[in-house]
Amino acid sequence: MKVVPQRRELSRQTGYSAAQAKHRCRWRRDGVEVFQKVVVGADASDTAAEAVRQAIEIVKLTGGELHIVSAYRPQHLSASGAADQSLATGDLAESVLADHASRARAAGVTAQVHARSGAAAESICDLAEEIGADLIVVGNKGMAGVRRVLGSVPNSVAHHAPCSVLIAQTT
């Protein structure tokens, strides 16, 4: 399969100039947009596992790179008046990431993992911007009901992402 840029064709179809089309679609393969750098947000939930599974399938099809990111907020514990001790929440994130990376390897995909301190949506979008991602995959948990109004990770990512976003059906 030969990969060729299709910017002129895209600009004709969408009305974007060739320069604008460059940013809308980097490469096409057999008329389908190819995502070379895919970021997926993950935690220890079943819905995150499904989002990672779908991201793995996309990367298998495109031969691209998979980046799995897990965000955590450091917590502090105080035991009977003693000085605060930091709880190793970063270690928990690393454990979750190792599990997801192991599943990716079992599917034949190499994954780079990223544990980030901070809010999940912000961490996902920041990583995507840093690596020049083409696609972010997140699960749809929180897209309905009160959380949709108050804010959810997929909603925030969709509004702030520097690239395309796939909100995977996971619930």
Side-chain angles (χ1 to χ4, degrees), residues 15-74:
Y16 291 117
S17 69
Q20 290 170 320
K22 173 183 176 184
H23 298 288
R24 296 285 179 199
C25 175
R26 293 185 181 181
W27 297 96
R28 289 186 166 257
R29 177 182 289 162
D30 296 337
V32 177
E33 189 169 343
V34 176
F35 299 110
Q36 290 299 304
K37 291 185 180 180
V38 177
V39 171
V40 60
D43 57 20
S45 69
D46 290 339
T47 58
E50 176 59 19
V52 171
R53 187 195 68 74
Q54 290 186 34
I56 290 168
E57 292 303 316
I58 291 168
V59 170
K60 283 172 57 175
L61 290 172
T62 65
E65 301 173 17
L66 179 62
H67 295 263
I68 307 171
V69 61
S70 184
Y72 63 93
R73 293 191 185 264

Side-chain angles (χ1 to χ4, degrees), residues 30 38 46 52 78-79 96-97 113 116 140 142:
D30 296 337
V38 177
D46 290 339
V52 171
S78 179
V96 167
L97 289 168
V113 296
R116 297 284 179 105
N140 69 335

Side-chain angles (χ1 to χ4, degrees), residues 26 37-41 67 69 114 116 120-137 157 160-165:
R26 293 185 181 181
K37 291 185 180 180
V38 177
V39 171
V40 60
H67 295 263
V69 61
H114 310 267
R116 297 284 179 105
E122 186 177 328
S123 296
I124 292 166
C125 291
D126 286 350
L127 176 64
E129 188 168 0
E130 287 170 23
I131 67 167
D134 303 306
L135 179 67
I136 296 172
V137 178
V157 167
H160 299 101
C163 59
S164 296
V165 177

